Amino acid sequence: MADSSDHDSTPLSYFKYDVFLSFRGYTRFGFTDTLYHALINNRIDTFRDSEELRIGEELEGALVEAIERSRMSILILCDEYPTSKWCLDELVKIMECSGNGTKRPVLPVYFRVAKSDVQFQKNKYETAMVAHQEKGRNNHKLEAWKSALSQVGKIYGQ
């Protein structure tokens, strides 16, 4: 049984999943798929989204519920992760629900990307943030995205 402070205040029946997987692009059919099946095969109830859930422009419905009702999150942070507003919105929600990793565990996996690139938005992470800013459609979210990336970059991962 889990014994974190979040679980002290949140009834166990609230949680629907053990793990929420957040990932992007090319990791889906390789690394993420292997991890997902390893978790499932060990009876760890894991939520992995599908493209069908991404119908609207905003994070909503089943995806938000899955994040809110997961005991922990595993983030597969690759060079393409910050190019997706969906991934960045997920990350903000994950960090919010986890109290930046203090209430619920957040495990970042730095997949072919340096931890410092995530934390300080360097290299492809910087390029992605500049591209989002230039598009202008999500400028109201930029600071939240950068803050969430900085916070997750402070967490020791794999």
Side-chain angles (χ1 to χ4, degrees):
M1 290 283 148
D3 56 30
S4 74
S5 61
D6 185 51
H7 293 225
D8 292 342
S9 61
T10 306
L12 291 177
S13 61
Y14 175 78
F15 295 106
K16 187 173 180 180
Y17 302 100
D18 296 314
V19 174
F20 179 88
L21 279 181
S22 180
F23 59 93
R24 170 76 171 148
Y26 64 87
T27 69
R28 174 184 286 278
F29 299 110
F31 182 84
T32 302
D33 196 48
T34 301
L35 175 60
Y36 173 77
H37 288 290
L39 292 167
I40 293 297
N41 290 340
N42 283 288
R43 293 186 165 85
I44 299 171
D45 195 11
T46 305
F47 182 90
R48 174 179 66 172
D49 77 333
S50 64
E51 291 301 319
E52 293 82 48
L53 289 177
R54 299 175 183 238
I55 295 169
E57 282 297 310
E58 300 297 322
L59 201 60
E60 59 184 43
L63 205 54
V64 170
E65 180 185 0
I67 292 169
E68 291 174 344
R69 296 189 64 191
S70 293
R71 295 183 201 290
M72 73 170 293
S73 296
I74 299 175
L75 312 171
I76 313 304
L77 300 167
C78 66
D79 59 352
E80 291 182 7
Y81 192 93
T83 64
S84 166
K85 79 170 213 64
W86 273 92
C87 287
L88 295 169
D89 286 347
E90 279 181 14
L91 177 62
V92 168
K93 186 66 175 173
I94 287 166
M95 297 308 284
E96 174 189 306
C97 289
S98 73
N100 288 326
T102 61
K103 292 165 101 182
R104 296 184 199 170
V106 174
L107 176 63
V109 176
Y110 300 100
F111 186 79
R112 299 180 183 156
V113 67
K115 180 179 177 286
S116 62
D117 286 359
V118 176
Q119 184 176 359
F120 302 111
Q121 289 101 63
K122 297 190 318 193
N123 298 317
K124 292 206 175 185
Y125 277 67
E126 179 180 23
T127 303
M129 291 298 108
V130 169
H132 287 301
Q133 187 170 6
E134 287 174 351
K135 288 179 188 171
R137 289 189 304 252
N138 295 297
N139 283 349
H140 62 289
K141 295 181 178 184
L142 275 173
E143 285 309 310
W145 291 345
K146 289 178 181 181
S147 177
L149 288 167
S150 294
Q151 289 302 315
V152 78
K154 293 176 185 174
I155 300 171
Y156 179 76
Q158 298 297 318

